[in-house]
Amino acid sequence: MEQVDVIVLGAGAAGMFAAIEAGRRGRRVLVIDHAKAAGEKIRISGGGRCNFTNLGIAPDRFISKNPRFALSALKRFTQWDFIARMDGAGIAWHEKTLGQLFCDGSAKQVVDMLLGDMGRAGVALWLGCGVTAVRRSGAGFEVDTARGMVRAASVVVATGGKSIPKMGASGFGYQIAESFGLPLLETRPGLVPLTFAAQELEWMVPLAGVAVQGRVSAGKVGFAEALLFTHRGLSGPAVLQASSYWREGDEVRLDLAPGRDVVAELAQAKRDSGKVALRTALGRIVPEKLARHIEASLGITAPLAELGRGELERVAVLIKDWRLRPVGSEGYRTAEVTLGGVDTDALDGRTMMARSVPGLFFVGEVVDVTGWLGGYNFQWAWSSGWAAGQVA
């Protein structure tokens, strides 16, 4: 029977980081994952370049029943701390938009950095090894694995959420939490495209591939980024962001021309070239296909010169406050993250340890902390993993 100090379940971002930190403290650490390779979500993230953090890390960029829970870990291991690790490893990076940081080269560089750090810290790694049970044994734990039972003083659960099941994602971490009596919050897909009913798809499908720099709002929260019409509904960064705040039955609001006075622009076009069709004038504000759809949906056939102020305002409302009601999302199949999870009330925000189960830690996506699109979820993985690794 294997005996170690710390077992980390999951060789993703949070798990590897927790293992590195615990190993550097001289702890005997074993990381176990059923996948054939470590850090697969890191490898595919950011189009293969890994959006590894964001310069704008702040508590209001994270969704949780207790939004302030993440603050301790995020303050103690910051984006600057992770950037220093990247620089120390000689991994070149750059900033894109909205503070998002990406590798100049392959995301595999980040995986290799973490594996190298694990190796230098003496961390053992079992890949392709399933885990079937975790239970208390005296002051420690017993973990049943495909390679036999392993004992440890501490267990760090870094199994992730349910998103992208084709990569092996499952709800196993939630099952572990429940087996120890820890409360869970409802899980649902986050950062996911939204889908629509057949009547909306009749006009959406012809627009598939049309992208707009707009603003998408759900409830009181809105995001000004690109949105994309698809064969199933709406996608693009603005939609993915809003999806984390959207609930079934609610509507989303689209502003297809943020910061622009559409009535004033159409009125000027009417003065300058009143003989043109509305779609021609709209084509200077939104893509041509979308302009044609707006014209047709409003039933306007007259040239711009014959449209009164009221009609121009009706057009502007559709462009600036277009309200649509999704019927659902594309689900965990394409969701980048899982909302909900282990209730933060059950965890110590400084150590990530379960308050009622000394030695049992939960880090990363399995916890009810979900970041915005753009590197926030990776930073939560680094920060929460770091916090657990200091004491596990």
Side-chain angles (χ1 to χ4, degrees), residues 41-100:
K41 276 194 175 181
I42 299 173
R43 184 183 62 79
I44 68 168
S45 67
R49 292 186 183 271
C50 187
N51 181 190
F52 58 87
T53 192
N54 194 291
L55 296 177
I57 299 296
D60 64 356
R61 309 291 171 90
F62 294 85
I63 303 167
S64 172
K65 188 184 80 170
N66 177 7
R68 297 194 62 78
F69 174 83
L71 190 58
S72 175
L74 292 170
K75 276 191 169 183
R76 291 166 61 226
F77 188 86
T78 69
Q79 64 270 44
W80 309 109
D81 293 317
F82 192 79
I83 289 168
R85 301 250 177 136
M86 295 282 284
D87 291 343
I91 301 174
W93 52 271
H94 61 278
E95 179 185 355
K96 277 194 174 180
T97 57
L98 304 173
Q100 301 171 16

Side-chain angles (χ1 to χ4, degrees), residues 44-253:
I44 68 168
S45 67
R49 292 186 183 271
C50 187
N51 181 190
F52 58 87
T53 192
N54 194 291
L55 296 177
I57 299 296
D60 64 356
R61 309 291 171 90
F62 294 85
I63 303 167
S64 172
K65 188 184 80 170
N66 177 7
R68 297 194 62 78
F69 174 83
L71 190 58
S72 175
L74 292 170
K75 276 191 169 183
R76 291 166 61 226
F77 188 86
T78 69
Q79 64 270 44
W80 309 109
D81 293 317
F82 192 79
I83 289 168
R85 301 250 177 136
M86 295 282 284
D87 291 343
I91 301 174
W93 52 271
H94 61 278
E95 179 185 355
K96 277 194 174 180
T97 57
L98 304 173
Q100 301 171 16
L101 302 189
F102 289 78
C103 298
D104 285 358
S106 168
K108 194 173 181 300
Q109 293 176 286
V110 179
V111 178
D112 290 342
M113 175 186 76
L114 297 173
L115 288 172
D117 286 348
M118 283 170 56
R120 285 183 287 274
V123 174
L125 175 61
W126 289 1
L127 293 172
C129 181
V131 173
T132 54
V134 180
R135 59 183 170 272
R136 262 292 189 200
S137 175
F141 300 87
E142 290 179 346
V143 178
D144 292 334
T145 83
R147 296 194 191 183
M149 185 176 33
V150 187
R151 284 186 173 151
S154 299
V155 171
V156 179
V157 180
T159 50
K162 300 177 181 178
S163 55
I164 319 184
K166 71 178 181 181
M167 295 188 65
S170 72
F172 185 56
Y174 309 130
Q175 295 171 28
I176 295 173
E178 283 187 310
S179 73
F180 284 95
L182 303 186
L184 298 177
L185 295 177
E186 174 198 3
T187 57
R188 55 193 176 91
L191 299 179
V192 63
L194 297 175
T195 57
F196 289 80
Q199 59 265 31
E200 276 84 20
L201 290 180
E202 280 185 21
W203 60 262
M204 279 188 174
V205 168
L207 294 176
V210 173
V212 182
Q213 284 296 322
R215 181 178 178 84
V216 180
S217 301
K220 297 180 180 179
V221 183
F223 296 90
E225 294 186 67
L227 66 99
L228 175 71
F229 290 88
T230 74
H231 288 88
R232 296 186 182 90
L234 292 173
S235 188
V239 173
L240 299 186
Q241 295 277 40
S243 74
S244 293
Y245 294 86
W246 174 81
R247 299 304 296 256
E248 287 194 14
D250 293 346
E251 62 185 12
V252 292
R253 303 184 309 282

Side-chain angles (χ1 to χ4, degrees), residues 234-358:
L234 292 173
S235 188
V239 173
L240 299 186
Q241 295 277 40
S243 74
S244 293
Y245 294 86
W246 174 81
R247 299 304 296 256
E248 287 194 14
D250 293 346
E251 62 185 12
V252 292
R253 303 184 309 282
L254 312 185
D255 180 349
L256 304 177
R260 297 176 68 170
D261 187 335
V262 172
V263 172
E265 290 188 40
L266 291 177
Q268 184 63 51
K270 178 180 174 179
R271 290 191 291 271
D272 294 342
S273 49
K275 293 182 180 180
V276 302
L278 172 63
R279 62 178 178 273
T280 303
L282 284 180
R284 300 166 189 158
I285 301 172
V286 298
E288 180 187 354
K289 277 188 177 181
L290 196 50
R292 289 179 177 276
H293 169 73
I294 291 169
E295 181 187 65
S297 66
L298 292 172
I300 294 175
T301 57
L304 206 54
E306 296 179 23
L307 303 184
R309 177 83 180 185
E311 286 174 301
L312 296 184
E313 288 176 349
R314 195 157 60 101
V315 174
V317 166
L318 190 56
I319 291 177
K320 298 291 291 179
D321 191 21
W322 193 355
R323 301 187 177 219
L324 296 169
R325 198 175 300 277
V327 295
S329 75
E330 292 194 5
Y332 292 116
R333 181 181 64 84
T334 59
E336 297 201 14
V337 292
T338 304
L339 292 152
V342 178
D343 192 336
T344 57
D345 286 350
L347 305 177
D348 183 324
R350 186 169 177 81
T351 65
M352 305 305 297
M353 187 169 72
R355 297 183 187 277
S356 61
V357 190

